[in-house]
Amino acid sequence: MLYAVFMSSVLPPFPQPQEPVDTPQLFEVGLAPEELCLRADAARNRARLLEAAARLIAEHGVAGVTMEAVATAAEVGKGTVFRRFGDRTGLLMALLDHSARQLQADFLGGPPPLGPGAPPVERLRAFGVAVLYRTCEQLDLQLAAQPEPTRRYAHPSMAALRTHVTMLLRQIQPEADCELLAHTLLGYLDPALVHHLTRQRGMPTERLEAGWIDLVARVTRTERPR
């Protein structure tokens, strides 16, 4: 398995990529001291709420994560949770953000073949396997956190995956409409499809992995690995 990360009872730390990756800074130059304190408090409160939500998932599954339950577990008012995340989908998306950042750090600066240093077709194969296993491990959370259809493809995490796949395709098949092909390939990794194939159809993950390798070979007109 190339990629296997799931949430423990507390949120995992951000990964440290092998090559430098720009990360947002909590404090900005020029902020007044009282504004710095407010930002630090907001970051701590957000982390506290996410830790409470992660514990609820570990104890009760995704169904146990409601705005009211998180507020109770974090010992804050329900309005605080709504102000911080907007709605339950926003909260669940924030929970997925840690593993999404780890995946991005891995394909931007991690070891090959997922990270830089391998031929683009090998990186594309490794990318799909990584996303597939991540999806299987977090399937209930990913399904519950999916934005409604008109927001799904515009979400920053989806845009980052699409940009990466498009970049790899342009290195392999520069004459193709790589942006549309990226949408096609990512459709194979959609959590709803993975749920249908693994839980409703009973397909083993290894079959889906082999299907991804075959799909990449056909789309890119390259040889399957031996």
Side-chain angles (χ1 to χ4, degrees):
M1 184 182 301
L2 286 174
Y3 189 83
V5 175
F6 191 47
M7 304 185 68
S8 62
S9 59
V10 296
L11 292 172
F14 288 125
Q16 297 297 321
Q18 293 186 352
E19 298 177 11
V21 176
D22 291 336
T23 54
Q25 299 297 312
L26 177 61
F27 301 132
E28 297 177 4
V29 176
L31 290 178
E34 62 272 15
E35 291 175 312
L36 294 177
C37 292
L38 287 173
R39 282 208 170 199
D41 288 343
R44 284 193 293 269
N45 290 338
R46 186 175 190 274
R48 181 182 175 188
L49 292 170
L50 290 175
E51 287 169 2
R55 287 196 302 271
L56 288 173
I57 287 182
E59 296 169 2
H60 307 292
V62 175
V65 179
T66 65
M67 305 298 265
E68 293 83 357
V70 171
T72 300
E75 299 181 343
V76 300
K78 185 171 66 173
T80 299
V81 187
F82 277 98
R83 284 192 299 273
R84 186 66 57 195
F85 301 106
D87 56 18
R88 183 173 183 268
T89 296
L91 171 62
L92 296 178
M93 287 301 302
L95 282 169
L96 282 174
D97 186 57
H98 274 305
S99 65
R101 291 191 186 197
Q102 175 159 351
L103 175 62
Q104 289 179 34
D106 286 345
F107 67 66
L108 288 174
L114 183 56
V121 68
E122 291 184 17
R123 295 190 67 194
L124 185 57
R125 293 188 198 113
F127 168 85
V129 174
V131 174
L132 175 62
Y133 279 101
R134 173 178 175 265
T135 298
C136 288
E137 291 165 354
Q138 302 178 338
L139 192 50
D140 290 334
L141 179 56
Q142 289 205 21
L143 288 173
Q146 279 199 332
E148 51 94 12
T150 59
R151 295 165 50 201
R152 187 172 304 161
Y153 295 102
H155 192 274
S157 63
M158 176 58 74
L161 300 185
R162 186 170 60 250
T163 298
H164 181 63
V165 173
T166 301
M167 177 200 71
L168 294 176
L169 287 171
R170 283 176 177 157
Q171 296 176 23
I172 304 166
Q173 294 282 354
E175 76 284 356
D177 189 335
C178 295
E179 184 176 1
L180 287 181
L181 283 181
H183 278 285
T184 300
L185 287 173
L186 289 171
Y188 182 89
L189 305 170
D190 181 75
L193 178 60
V194 173
H195 175 270
H196 170 69
L197 294 176
T198 59
R199 297 192 182 178
Q200 296 178 335
R201 295 287 307 281
M203 291 185 187
T205 309
E206 292 77 11
R207 182 177 174 185
L208 272 65
E209 178 181 348
W212 170 259
I213 301 300
D214 182 63
L215 179 61
V216 168
R218 294 176 186 275
V219 167
T220 61
R221 301 176 185 175
T222 57
E223 295 290 331
R224 287 173 53 90
R226 298 183 183 277

